Amino acid sequence: MWKACIFDLDGTLADTVESMAYVANGILESFGLPAQPVEKYKYYCGEGAEMLMKRCLLDAGDTELNYWKEGSRRYRQIFAEDPMYRVTHYPGMPETLWELKRKGARLAVCSNKPHTAAVKVIDTMFKGVFDMVLGQQEGIRRKPFPDAPLKIAEALGVRPEECLYVGDTATDMQTGRAAGMYTIGALWGFRTREELSENHADVLAESPEDILDIYEENAND
């Protein structure tokens, strides 16, 4: 049954929270606003650069969002140039991905991170593993709309119901379900078990290695 695995990036494949906080806090401070705690970025992220900047600007005191447009532009620009500051993969993730690939799974990344930055992160950390990377770009509605995962499934030549969709946020669970895919909630990521369960994850994974077991249960039936 399962022929493909589609992964979110931030909080699922890689721990990028310090990277996002570093860039956004630098932008806040350039506007004379206070930096925000790194932990808050686990909740600022997940719905694209514009929403991340909106949330941190509001918390920093820009209640009129006077800096939103310029802040979002700078955020995308900086990440396009260098998205790798303090980015690390989660333990067991590279081995899990290569084993899935060895077993015949098609692998893809579906991210609300700007497309150029998403491609750079994947090429740096997981070069040669993924068949396709799709980040946020013009013409494709960002998650939780199902446009991106459906586009990926079509490009990989698989049906949505043959795809596992792996993510760590409510947005990811909503995206996978809207696309008609089987959703796996990543408990090692940025959000809580409760959030993933409340947003109807089909199954929860304690570690990347659990994805292998889920895939093997119904692979190529």
Side-chain angles (χ1 to χ4, degrees):
M1 179 181 177
W2 311 130
K3 295 183 179 178
C5 295
I6 302 175
F7 291 82
D8 170 55
L9 201 169
D10 297 316
T12 301
L13 291 171
D15 187 349
T16 57
V17 68
E18 288 196 46
S19 176
M20 292 183 289
Y22 173 76
V23 172
N25 280 339
I27 294 169
L28 292 178
E29 290 173 341
S30 76
F31 295 143
L33 297 170
Q36 298 301 298
V38 172
E39 278 296 305
K40 283 192 173 184
Y41 283 88
K42 292 182 178 181
Y43 294 88
Y44 293 158
C45 73
E47 296 179 69
E50 288 81 7
M51 187 58 70
L52 181 147
M53 285 305 306
K54 180 178 182 179
R55 289 166 174 158
C56 68
L57 282 166
L58 288 170
D59 278 2
D62 181 16
T63 56
E64 300 297 321
L65 294 176
N66 296 314
Y67 297 114
W68 188 18
K69 184 176 181 180
E70 175 62 12
S72 298
R73 185 194 68 78
R74 290 192 197 177
Y75 187 89
R76 289 191 297 269
Q77 180 183 15
I78 294 168
F79 263 109
E81 294 169 355
D82 181 16
M84 291 304 301
Y85 177 80
R86 291 195 177 180
V87 173
T88 60
H89 63 71
Y90 287 104
M93 185 57 73
E95 296 83 357
T96 294
L97 294 172
W98 281 111
E99 185 64 13
L100 284 167
K101 194 172 185 71
R102 188 186 72 79
K103 291 180 179 298
R106 306 298 303 278
L107 302 179
V109 176
C110 179
S111 179
N112 274 341
K113 202 178 199 73
H115 180 71
T116 300
V119 169
K120 284 186 178 180
V121 171
I122 295 303
D123 281 350
T124 301
M125 302 193 74
F126 304 107
K127 192 171 183 62
V129 178
F130 287 97
D131 299 292
M132 185 175 180
V133 178
L134 190 59
Q136 186 180 353
Q137 56 187 275
E138 292 294 326
I140 301 176
R141 294 179 298 177
R142 68 170 188 251
K143 300 184 291 184
F145 290 106
D147 305 30
L150 290 176
K151 185 178 180 68
I152 289 170
E154 181 180 11
L156 297 182
V158 298
R159 299 191 302 273
E161 61 268 25
E162 295 173 326
C163 298
L164 298 174
Y165 188 95
V166 187
D168 70 306
T169 68
T171 297
D172 289 312
M173 299 304 97
Q174 293 161 11
T175 302
R177 290 178 66 81
M181 299 175 179
Y182 189 83
T183 56
I184 300 177
L187 293 174
W188 58 87
F190 294 162
R191 305 289 178 81
T192 64
R193 178 185 297 268
E194 289 73 24
E195 177 175 322
L196 295 170
S197 295
E198 287 170 3
N199 284 274
H200 311 293
D202 288 304
V203 67
L204 299 176
E206 297 280 353
S207 69
E209 291 85 353
D210 288 345
I211 301 168
L212 276 172
D213 295 333
I214 296 165
Y215 176 80
E216 289 174 342
E217 286 174 3
N218 293 291
N220 302 314
D221 285 355

